[in-house]
Amino acid sequence: MEQHWWQEVVVYQVYPRSFYDSDGDGIGDLKGIIAKLDYLAKLGIGAIWLSPVYASPNDDNGYDISDYQRIMSEFGTMAEMDLLIQEAKKRQIEIVMDLVVNHTSDEHAWFVEAKENPDSLYRDYYVWSDPAKDGGVPNGLTSNFSGSAWTLDEASGQYYLHLFSKKQPDLNWQNPQLRNEIYTMMNYWIDKGIGGFRMDVIDLIGKIPEAEITNNGPKLHEYLQEMNQATFGDKDLLTVGETWGATPEIAKLYSDPKRHELSMVFQFEHVMLDQEAGKSKWDWTPLKINELKHALARWQTELGEEGWNSLFWENHDLPRVISRWGNDREYREESAKLFAIILHMMKGTPYIYQGEEIGMTNSPVTDISQVKDIESINLYYERLAQGYDKETIIAAINRKGRDNARTPMQWSADVNGGFTSGTPWLKVNPNYQTINVEQALTDENSIFYTYQKLIALRKDHPLMIWGDFELLETTDKIFAYLRRYQGETWLVVGNFSDDKQTLDLGQYAVRKTIIHNYPEIITSLARELRPWEAFVTVVEANDDRK
Ligand code: TEU
């Protein structure tokens, strides 16, 4: 398999609204990101995935774009965007833009024109449908943000499609003119020197609404090959698709280099393991560690040479992993380090979401008035109308709501966690006084330095990037695997529990400890693991010792 820079780096996701506010309006901005580039360079990351910074009415915090070639006024100017790209490159950091082309904002000029003038050429940039025979919505498609995916445009008597909010009308990718407009816009950003694109819900662009087909539509890969050819195909950019429905087989279609589509995809099989089968993320069920480790192992082994993995626990849509699956109370540091070690030692490109590197946690609310995210708010009123009680709905939002990931980055113990001198757009997690960057940088045993070390190890050890993967059978709560490369074998072990677990890998002899989230040196692999203990050792199979 040919080798690329985006297989060797660790990517850091910045959610600009909550990263750092330089002008005191309570909203993060581009100058704030520039001010923190040295911090990110110290961490050692090689690329920033920048959540959308384009003009937007912020119905979905920037994932509803009204002008792809203008910067959202709260975030700053295009000159500051150009400066960010340049200043990042000076620190060997590429900027990966968030490409949101399944839909636009309803305030985008195309949709405004399409709505005002049904005969406009822009009408067919979107998905319109006559009412069903009974005069109601055309079919049963539903929105990810509750309710029907169809909204009636009174003036024309037609419905338009939105798989997300009413203010996010879906684009019609069957229209070649629309596709070419998107490619022109992508080349505008490529010409600015960006390092690539993260592609929002890209598995939806092949939709056939009249057939109620949304993801993995029949022309999806044809469009992606056309996009590749028309934009980034002759450049070495990082392109990662957000593909909620991907299996390893489907992932090969996106990321097999011979198909000239994308570099890799975000798959979500592990993300959906703590929701009741066939239900939504709001219908929680406890995670089974056995299912987690086998799902991740499957992705490690089934892509083979026909694709490349992305590796993540968190992003701006997901709850904080140590609150969700770790122990953010008695074992916050140990469990945060365990998740870091287990993820970064696997094969693929690791992604760190802002704040994950200092062990930020979920931030519970007591009332819907404290919630900003449209997805959670819509769900609350939908379930209220369905007869759920408020406490149950708020509990579900506290578990899985997207605001958990969007509370402002905690930089210091100063007011508002040093995020803003103004009033933050979303309440800062009250634990900022103890969990913050300033504290982490002064503590050599902090979670930050575990992430920094893992990133440094990746730069020094090709085994981490190119080595193969073998899952080892252990007790349910222990996730153990081998990485092998050019005669060297590393053993990675994690105890995903609050309890002691017995590790029985005495058939391996320890040659060296690479990293460990408890203080002492590892000498034997037939041993008791402490709660959330994780380590990596260089090993030899005992029969190799002869
Ligand atoms: O997310 C797609 C998506 O399906 C998730 O929002 C999902 O509905 C849920 O939130 C998972 O917990 C992408 C973006 O990442 C998200 O922020 C946007 O809201 C959405 O697309 C629409 O652009």
Side-chain angles (χ1 to χ4, degrees):
M1 188 173 194
E2 55 195 34
Q3 302 184 352
H4 299 273
W5 66 271
W6 40 262
Q7 293 170 297
E8 301 172 355
V9 297
V10 172
V11 184
Y12 187 95
Q13 182 190 356
V14 168
Y15 190 69
R17 197 171 187 81
S18 304
F19 192 63
Y20 182 62
D21 169 23
S22 72
D23 61 7
D25 66 354
I27 297 171
D29 47 49
L30 295 177
K31 284 171 81 174
I33 302 170
I34 293 168
K36 298 297 183 184
L37 283 175
D38 286 337
Y39 165 73
L40 296 176
K42 181 182 179 69
L43 180 58
I45 53 108
I48 292 171
W49 156 20
L50 190 60
S51 275
V53 294
Y54 320 97
S56 165
N58 286 304
D59 190 56
D60 185 16
N61 284 358
Y63 283 90
D64 48 320
I65 296 167
S66 56
D67 187 337
Y68 288 101
Q69 294 176 208
R70 195 159 54 80
I71 298 299
M72 190 190 306
S73 51
E74 298 98 316
F75 287 163
T77 65
M78 189 57 85
E80 287 158 359
M81 184 66 227
D82 291 331
L83 182 61
L84 172 58
I85 294 168
Q86 287 144 31
E87 285 301 313
K89 274 189 193 295
K90 283 181 191 167
R91 296 161 175 86
Q92 288 76 50
I93 296 173
E94 293 296 329
I95 298 292
V96 173
M97 299 298 278
D98 208 320
L99 185 72
V100 186
V101 291
N102 173 67
H103 49 269
T104 68
S105 163
D106 65 348
E107 297 180 27
H108 192 289
W110 296 339
F111 189 77
V112 171
E113 174 63 21
K115 201 157 178 277
E116 277 169 13
N117 176 4
D119 299 328
S120 154
L121 69 86
Y122 295 109
R123 186 84 174 181
D124 191 45
Y125 279 22
Y126 295 90
V127 180
W128 302 87
S129 173
D130 291 333
K133 290 192 178 56
D134 67 1
V137 293
N139 63 28
L141 284 179
T142 55
S143 163
N144 281 280
F145 294 167
S146 303
S148 170
W150 299 100
T151 288
L152 180 64
D153 164 37
E154 303 279 350
S156 64
Q158 285 195 310
Y159 285 83
Y160 69 87
L161 179 73
H162 54 86
L163 294 179
F164 293 93
S165 88
K166 297 180 184 337
K167 285 182 67 62
Q168 292 171 290
D170 276 57
L171 287 167
N172 169 23
W173 273 74
Q174 295 177 34
N175 183 324
Q177 234 172 324
L178 177 273
R179 300 204 302 270
N180 285 325
E181 293 252 29
I182 297 297
Y183 305 153
T184 302
M185 175 271 290
M186 290 175 69
N187 284 320
Y188 168 84
W189 283 103
I190 290 171
D191 292 348
K192 280 182 172 293
I194 62 171
F197 293 103
R198 175 267 185 180
M199 300 188 183
D200 192 64
V201 290
I202 203 68
D203 57 343
L204 300 179
I205 63 172
K207 67 179 77 77
I208 310 284
E210 59 274 22
E212 298 196 30
I213 293 170
T214 51
N215 70 2
N216 300 317
K219 293 207 169 184
L220 169 59
H221 295 283
E222 179 186 319
Y223 296 153
L224 286 176
Q225 288 170 19
E226 181 187 70
M227 176 194 282
N228 177 300
Q229 192 70 30
T231 61
F232 53 82
D234 58 351
K235 300 165 184 70
D236 192 16
L237 300 187
L238 184 161
T239 51
V240 52
E242 181 196 27
T243 56
W244 277 82
T247 62
E249 279 318 301
I250 290 176
K252 289 178 185 176
L253 300 178
Y254 289 105
S255 63
D256 181 344
K258 296 191 294 295
R259 291 175 52 87
H260 303 293
E261 292 188 22
L262 305 179
S263 315
M264 65 190 95
V265 294
F266 289 130
Q267 59 85 15
F268 292 84
E269 189 176 342
H270 61 305
V271 166
M272 294 191 275
L273 290 174
D274 62 353
Q275 63 192 61
E276 285 178 50
K279 293 199 170 178
S280 79
K281 72 181 205 178
W282 307 108
D283 304 301
W284 177 77
T285 188
L287 172 74
K288 297 181 185 69
I289 301 305
N290 231 7
E291 289 182 3
L292 176 67
K293 63 186 178 184
H294 283 98
L296 291 172
R298 204 167 31 253
W299 280 87
Q300 287 287 295
T301 51
E302 289 186 9
L303 273 192
E305 294 301 298
E306 295 169 82
W308 188 256
N309 272 303
S310 68
L311 307 169
F312 68 98
W313 298 121
E314 298 188 10
N315 64 33
H316 63 292
D317 293 332
L318 301 178
R320 293 289 182 177
V321 70
I322 53 176
S323 301
R324 181 182 193 177
W325 291 338
N327 177 330
D328 65 2
R329 299 166 311 286
E330 308 80 37
Y331 293 103
R332 187 182 70 84
E333 301 222 335
E334 292 82 356
S335 67
K337 292 175 183 177
L338 172 141
F339 282 103
I341 291 167
I342 290 292
L343 190 82
H344 284 246
M345 283 292 161
M346 282 195 280
K347 186 170 188 175
T349 300
Y351 289 72
I352 300 170
Y353 178 62
Q354 69 182 46
E356 177 184 338
E357 80 278 12
I358 58 169
M360 280 176 64
T361 66
N362 281 357
S363 188
V365 297
T366 54
D367 184 88
I368 195 62
S369 62
Q370 298 158 5
V371 175
K372 299 286 186 192
D373 177 25
I374 185 168
E375 180 188 53
S376 296
I377 292 167
N378 288 2
L379 170 96
Y380 178 84
Y381 290 105
E382 180 180 67
R383 290 208 164 183
L384 217 48
Q386 292 168 345
Y388 288 76
D389 63 76
K390 286 183 182 177
E391 294 68 28
T392 304
I393 307 170
I394 290 294
I397 290 171
N398 281 337
R399 257 193 207 287
K400 295 286 189 75
R402 304 190 302 179
D403 280 356
N404 280 308
R406 301 175 179 184
T407 60
M409 182 71 180
Q410 295 163 201
W411 294 103
S412 71
D414 298 340
V415 68
N416 292 321
F419 163 71
T420 179
S421 57
T423 304
W425 72 276
L426 177 66
K427 185 171 175 288
V428 180
N429 191 320
N431 63 21
Y432 73 82
Q433 303 203 357
T434 50
I435 300 173
N436 61 70
V437 166
E438 208 165 84
Q439 181 283 329
L441 293 179
T442 58
D443 168 7
E444 64 179 16
N445 293 315
S446 68
I447 301 160
F448 174 89
Y449 288 114
T450 291
Y451 274 92
Q452 185 192 58
K453 180 169 183 181
L454 288 165
I455 297 170
L457 284 167
R458 179 171 291 267
K459 291 171 183 166
D460 296 337
H461 296 277
L463 172 144
M464 285 177 69
I465 300 167
W466 310 114
D468 65 18
F469 173 100
E470 180 188 340
L471 178 68
L472 296 177
E473 284 313 315
T474 54
T475 58
D476 275 4
K477 296 289 177 62
I478 295 176
F479 185 179
Y481 61 84
L482 297 176
R483 296 293 311 275
R484 289 193 186 91
Y485 188 67
Q486 293 182 345
E488 193 171 23
T489 303
W490 289 15
L491 167 67
V492 183
V493 172
N495 169 12
F496 281 69
S497 78
D498 285 336
D499 310 310
K500 290 183 176 176
Q501 300 286 335
T502 301
L503 179 71
D504 180 14
L505 292 176
Q507 68 272 33
Y508 295 99
V510 179
R511 271 189 42 205
K512 183 180 168 196
T513 297
I514 296 287
I515 191 168
H516 188 195
N517 66 350
Y518 276 83
E520 68 289 319
I521 298 297
I522 312 245
T523 52
S524 160
L525 295 166
R527 65 196 295 271
E528 199 159 69
L529 297 178
R530 265 103 17 117
W532 302 99
E533 184 167 2
F535 60 79
V536 181
T537 54
V538 181
V539 295
E540 285 173 337
N542 272 330
D543 51 13
D544 285 4
R545 280 198 138 182
K546 293 182 197 94

Short mmCIF file of all heavy atoms in Angstrom, two decimals, residues 359-395:
data_model
loop_
_atom_site.label_atom_id
_atom_site.label_comp_id
_atom_site.label_asym_id
_atom_site.label_seq_id
_atom_site.Cartn_x
_atom_site.Cartn_y
_atom_site.Cartn_z
N GLY A 359 -8.96 15.23 29.48
CA GLY A 359 -9.96 14.47 30.21
C GLY A 359 -11.20 15.27 30.59
O GLY A 359 -11.72 15.13 31.70
N MET A 360 -11.67 16.10 29.64
CA MET A 360 -12.92 16.81 29.90
C MET A 360 -14.08 15.82 29.98
O MET A 360 -14.04 14.76 29.38
CB MET A 360 -13.16 17.89 28.83
CG MET A 360 -12.35 19.16 29.09
SD MET A 360 -12.49 20.45 27.82
CE MET A 360 -14.22 20.89 27.91
N THR A 361 -15.12 16.21 30.75
CA THR A 361 -16.22 15.28 31.03
C THR A 361 -17.56 15.84 30.54
O THR A 361 -17.65 17.02 30.17
CB THR A 361 -16.34 15.08 32.56
OG1 THR A 361 -16.76 16.32 33.13
CG2 THR A 361 -15.03 14.64 33.17
N ASN A 362 -18.59 15.00 30.55
CA ASN A 362 -19.94 15.48 30.25
C ASN A 362 -20.33 16.58 31.24
O ASN A 362 -19.77 16.67 32.34
CB ASN A 362 -20.94 14.33 30.36
CG ASN A 362 -20.93 13.44 29.15
OD1 ASN A 362 -20.22 13.70 28.18
ND2 ASN A 362 -21.71 12.37 29.21
N SER A 363 -21.31 17.39 30.82
CA SER A 363 -21.74 18.50 31.66
C SER A 363 -23.26 18.47 31.79
O SER A 363 -23.96 19.03 30.94
CB SER A 363 -21.28 19.82 31.03
OG SER A 363 -21.52 20.89 31.91
N PRO A 364 -23.81 17.79 32.81
CA PRO A 364 -25.26 17.56 32.89
C PRO A 364 -26.06 18.85 33.11
O PRO A 364 -25.56 19.81 33.67
CB PRO A 364 -25.41 16.63 34.08
CG PRO A 364 -24.13 16.65 34.82
CD PRO A 364 -23.07 17.12 33.90
N VAL A 365 -27.30 18.82 32.62
CA VAL A 365 -28.24 19.93 32.81
C VAL A 365 -29.41 19.43 33.65
O VAL A 365 -29.60 18.22 33.83
CB VAL A 365 -28.75 20.47 31.46
CG1 VAL A 365 -27.62 21.05 30.63
CG2 VAL A 365 -29.52 19.39 30.69
N THR A 366 -30.21 20.38 34.16
CA THR A 366 -31.40 19.99 34.94
C THR A 366 -32.69 20.37 34.22
O THR A 366 -33.77 19.91 34.60
CB THR A 366 -31.38 20.69 36.32
OG1 THR A 366 -31.24 22.11 36.06
CG2 THR A 366 -30.19 20.21 37.14
N ASP A 367 -32.52 21.23 33.17
CA ASP A 367 -33.75 21.70 32.50
C ASP A 367 -33.43 21.99 31.02
O ASP A 367 -32.31 22.38 30.69
CB ASP A 367 -34.22 23.00 33.18
CG ASP A 367 -35.54 23.47 32.58
OD1 ASP A 367 -36.59 23.02 33.07
OD2 ASP A 367 -35.49 24.23 31.59
N ILE A 368 -34.42 21.80 30.17
CA ILE A 368 -34.20 21.96 28.71
C ILE A 368 -33.77 23.38 28.37
O ILE A 368 -33.11 23.61 27.36
CB ILE A 368 -35.46 21.54 27.94
CG1 ILE A 368 -35.13 21.35 26.44
CG2 ILE A 368 -36.59 22.57 28.13
CD1 ILE A 368 -34.12 20.26 26.13
N SER A 369 -34.07 24.35 29.24
CA SER A 369 -33.69 25.76 28.97
C SER A 369 -32.17 25.92 28.97
O SER A 369 -31.64 26.89 28.45
CB SER A 369 -34.30 26.67 30.04
OG SER A 369 -33.77 26.30 31.31
N GLN A 370 -31.45 24.94 29.53
CA GLN A 370 -29.98 25.04 29.57
C GLN A 370 -29.34 24.41 28.33
O GLN A 370 -28.13 24.43 28.18
CB GLN A 370 -29.45 24.32 30.82
CG GLN A 370 -29.94 24.93 32.13
CD GLN A 370 -29.88 23.95 33.31
OE1 GLN A 370 -29.37 22.83 33.18
NE2 GLN A 370 -30.39 24.36 34.45
N VAL A 371 -30.19 23.82 27.46
CA VAL A 371 -29.68 23.07 26.30
C VAL A 371 -29.71 23.96 25.06
O VAL A 371 -30.69 24.68 24.83
CB VAL A 371 -30.54 21.81 26.07
CG1 VAL A 371 -30.11 21.08 24.79
CG2 VAL A 371 -30.46 20.88 27.27
N LYS A 372 -28.62 23.90 24.26
CA LYS A 372 -28.54 24.74 23.06
C LYS A 372 -28.74 23.92 21.78
O LYS A 372 -29.14 24.46 20.76
CB LYS A 372 -27.16 25.41 22.98
CG LYS A 372 -26.84 26.31 24.15
CD LYS A 372 -27.60 27.61 24.07
CE LYS A 372 -27.14 28.54 25.18
NZ LYS A 372 -28.03 29.71 25.34
N ASP A 373 -28.42 22.63 21.80
CA ASP A 373 -28.36 21.85 20.56
C ASP A 373 -29.75 21.53 20.02
O ASP A 373 -30.59 20.94 20.71
CB ASP A 373 -27.59 20.55 20.81
CG ASP A 373 -27.55 19.67 19.57
OD1 ASP A 373 -27.66 20.20 18.46
OD2 ASP A 373 -27.41 18.45 19.72
N ILE A 374 -29.94 21.86 18.75
CA ILE A 374 -31.25 21.65 18.11
C ILE A 374 -31.69 20.19 18.15
O ILE A 374 -32.87 19.88 18.33
CB ILE A 374 -31.21 22.17 16.65
CG1 ILE A 374 -32.60 22.09 16.01
CG2 ILE A 374 -30.17 21.44 15.81
CD1 ILE A 374 -32.73 22.84 14.71
N GLU A 375 -30.72 19.28 18.05
CA GLU A 375 -31.08 17.86 18.04
C GLU A 375 -31.72 17.46 19.37
O GLU A 375 -32.76 16.79 19.41
CB GLU A 375 -29.84 16.99 17.78
CG GLU A 375 -30.13 15.50 17.75
CD GLU A 375 -28.89 14.64 17.70
OE1 GLU A 375 -28.01 14.80 18.55
OE2 GLU A 375 -28.82 13.79 16.80
N SER A 376 -31.12 17.92 20.47
CA SER A 376 -31.65 17.58 21.80
C SER A 376 -32.96 18.30 22.07
O SER A 376 -33.90 17.70 22.63
CB SER A 376 -30.62 17.95 22.88
OG SER A 376 -29.44 17.19 22.74
N ILE A 377 -33.04 19.56 21.67
CA ILE A 377 -34.28 20.34 21.92
C ILE A 377 -35.45 19.74 21.17
O ILE A 377 -36.52 19.49 21.75
CB ILE A 377 -34.06 21.82 21.53
CG1 ILE A 377 -33.06 22.48 22.49
CG2 ILE A 377 -35.38 22.58 21.52
CD1 ILE A 377 -32.54 23.83 22.02
N ASN A 378 -35.23 19.41 19.89
CA ASN A 378 -36.31 18.79 19.11
C ASN A 378 -36.73 17.44 19.71
O ASN A 378 -37.92 17.11 19.78
CB ASN A 378 -35.89 18.60 17.65
CG ASN A 378 -35.82 19.90 16.89
OD1 ASN A 378 -36.05 20.97 17.46
ND2 ASN A 378 -35.48 19.84 15.62
N LEU A 379 -35.74 16.68 20.15
CA LEU A 379 -36.05 15.38 20.75
C LEU A 379 -36.89 15.56 22.02
O LEU A 379 -37.87 14.86 22.26
CB LEU A 379 -34.76 14.65 21.14
CG LEU A 379 -35.11 13.41 22.00
CD1 LEU A 379 -35.19 12.18 21.14
CD2 LEU A 379 -34.23 13.26 23.18
N TYR A 380 -36.52 16.56 22.81
CA TYR A 380 -37.22 16.79 24.09
C TYR A 380 -38.70 17.00 23.84
O TYR A 380 -39.55 16.33 24.45
CB TYR A 380 -36.60 18.02 24.77
CG TYR A 380 -37.24 18.41 26.07
CD1 TYR A 380 -36.86 17.81 27.27
CD2 TYR A 380 -38.23 19.41 26.12
CE1 TYR A 380 -37.45 18.17 28.47
CE2 TYR A 380 -38.82 19.77 27.32
CZ TYR A 380 -38.42 19.16 28.49
OH TYR A 380 -39.00 19.51 29.70
N TYR A 381 -39.03 17.89 22.93
CA TYR A 381 -40.45 18.20 22.69
C TYR A 381 -41.16 17.07 21.96
O TYR A 381 -42.32 16.78 22.19
CB TYR A 381 -40.58 19.54 21.97
CG TYR A 381 -40.20 20.68 22.89
CD1 TYR A 381 -38.98 21.35 22.76
CD2 TYR A 381 -41.03 21.02 23.97
CE1 TYR A 381 -38.61 22.36 23.65
CE2 TYR A 381 -40.67 22.02 24.87
CZ TYR A 381 -39.45 22.68 24.72
OH TYR A 381 -39.08 23.66 25.62
N GLU A 382 -40.41 16.35 21.12
CA GLU A 382 -41.03 15.18 20.44
C GLU A 382 -41.40 14.12 21.48
O GLU A 382 -42.52 13.61 21.48
CB GLU A 382 -40.05 14.59 19.42
CG GLU A 382 -40.60 13.37 18.68
CD GLU A 382 -39.60 12.81 17.67
OE1 GLU A 382 -38.55 12.28 18.10
OE2 GLU A 382 -39.87 12.93 16.46
N ARG A 383 -40.48 13.84 22.41
CA ARG A 383 -40.75 12.78 23.39
C ARG A 383 -41.75 13.24 24.45
O ARG A 383 -42.51 12.44 24.97
CB ARG A 383 -39.43 12.28 24.00
CG ARG A 383 -38.61 11.49 22.98
CD ARG A 383 -37.70 10.45 23.56
NE ARG A 383 -37.27 9.52 22.50
CZ ARG A 383 -36.51 8.45 22.70
NH1 ARG A 383 -36.08 8.15 23.93
NH2 ARG A 383 -36.17 7.66 21.71
N LEU A 384 -41.74 14.54 24.73
CA LEU A 384 -42.74 15.07 25.67
C LEU A 384 -44.14 14.81 25.09
O LEU A 384 -45.02 14.29 25.77
CB LEU A 384 -42.52 16.57 25.83
CG LEU A 384 -42.75 17.21 27.21
CD1 LEU A 384 -42.06 16.42 28.31
CD2 LEU A 384 -42.25 18.65 27.20
N ALA A 385 -44.26 15.07 23.78
CA ALA A 385 -45.56 14.88 23.10
C ALA A 385 -45.92 13.40 23.04
O ALA A 385 -47.10 13.04 22.98
CB ALA A 385 -45.49 15.46 21.69
N GLN A 386 -44.91 12.54 23.09
CA GLN A 386 -45.17 11.09 23.05
C GLN A 386 -45.46 10.52 24.44
O GLN A 386 -45.66 9.32 24.58
CB GLN A 386 -43.95 10.37 22.42
CG GLN A 386 -43.75 10.68 20.94
CD GLN A 386 -42.40 10.21 20.43
OE1 GLN A 386 -41.48 9.90 21.23
NE2 GLN A 386 -42.25 10.18 19.11
N GLY A 387 -45.41 11.41 25.45
CA GLY A 387 -45.77 10.95 26.79
C GLY A 387 -44.63 10.60 27.70
O GLY A 387 -44.84 10.18 28.85
N TYR A 388 -43.38 10.80 27.25
CA TYR A 388 -42.24 10.55 28.15
C TYR A 388 -42.24 11.61 29.25
O TYR A 388 -42.65 12.75 29.01
CB TYR A 388 -40.91 10.66 27.39
CG TYR A 388 -40.60 9.53 26.43
CD1 TYR A 388 -41.22 9.43 25.21
CD2 TYR A 388 -39.63 8.58 26.76
CE1 TYR A 388 -40.91 8.40 24.32
CE2 TYR A 388 -39.30 7.55 25.87
CZ TYR A 388 -39.95 7.48 24.66
OH TYR A 388 -39.64 6.46 23.78
N ASP A 389 -41.76 11.29 30.46
CA ASP A 389 -41.67 12.34 31.48
C ASP A 389 -40.36 13.11 31.31
O ASP A 389 -39.37 12.60 30.78
CB ASP A 389 -41.77 11.73 32.89
CG ASP A 389 -40.62 10.77 33.19
OD1 ASP A 389 -39.51 11.29 33.46
OD2 ASP A 389 -40.82 9.55 33.05
N LYS A 390 -40.38 14.36 31.80
CA LYS A 390 -39.26 15.27 31.60
C LYS A 390 -37.95 14.68 32.13
O LYS A 390 -36.91 14.75 31.48
CB LYS A 390 -39.54 16.61 32.31
CG LYS A 390 -40.57 17.48 31.59
CD LYS A 390 -40.75 18.81 32.28
CE LYS A 390 -41.84 19.62 31.55
NZ LYS A 390 -42.10 20.92 32.24
N GLU A 391 -38.01 14.06 33.31
CA GLU A 391 -36.79 13.54 33.94
C GLU A 391 -36.13 12.50 33.05
O GLU A 391 -34.91 12.50 32.86
CB GLU A 391 -37.10 12.94 35.32
CG GLU A 391 -37.56 13.96 36.38
CD GLU A 391 -38.94 14.54 36.07
OE1 GLU A 391 -39.75 13.83 35.41
OE2 GLU A 391 -39.18 15.72 36.43
N THR A 392 -36.95 11.64 32.47
CA THR A 392 -36.39 10.59 31.60
C THR A 392 -35.72 11.18 30.37
O THR A 392 -34.65 10.77 29.96
CB THR A 392 -37.52 9.62 31.18
OG1 THR A 392 -38.15 9.10 32.34
CG2 THR A 392 -37.01 8.49 30.30
N ILE A 393 -36.37 12.20 29.81
CA ILE A 393 -35.81 12.82 28.60
C ILE A 393 -34.52 13.57 28.94
O ILE A 393 -33.50 13.44 28.25
CB ILE A 393 -36.82 13.78 27.94
CG1 ILE A 393 -38.17 13.09 27.69
CG2 ILE A 393 -36.26 14.29 26.61
CD1 ILE A 393 -39.27 14.04 27.28
N ILE A 394 -34.53 14.31 30.03
CA ILE A 394 -33.32 15.05 30.44
C ILE A 394 -32.19 14.08 30.75
O ILE A 394 -31.03 14.29 30.38
CB ILE A 394 -33.61 15.96 31.66
CG1 ILE A 394 -34.53 17.13 31.25
CG2 ILE A 394 -32.31 16.49 32.27
CD1 ILE A 394 -33.91 18.12 30.27
N ALA A 395 -32.52 12.93 31.35
CA ALA A 395 -31.48 11.92 31.64
C ALA A 395 -30.87 11.42 30.34
O ALA A 395 -29.65 11.25 30.22
CB ALA A 395 -32.09 10.76 32.43
#
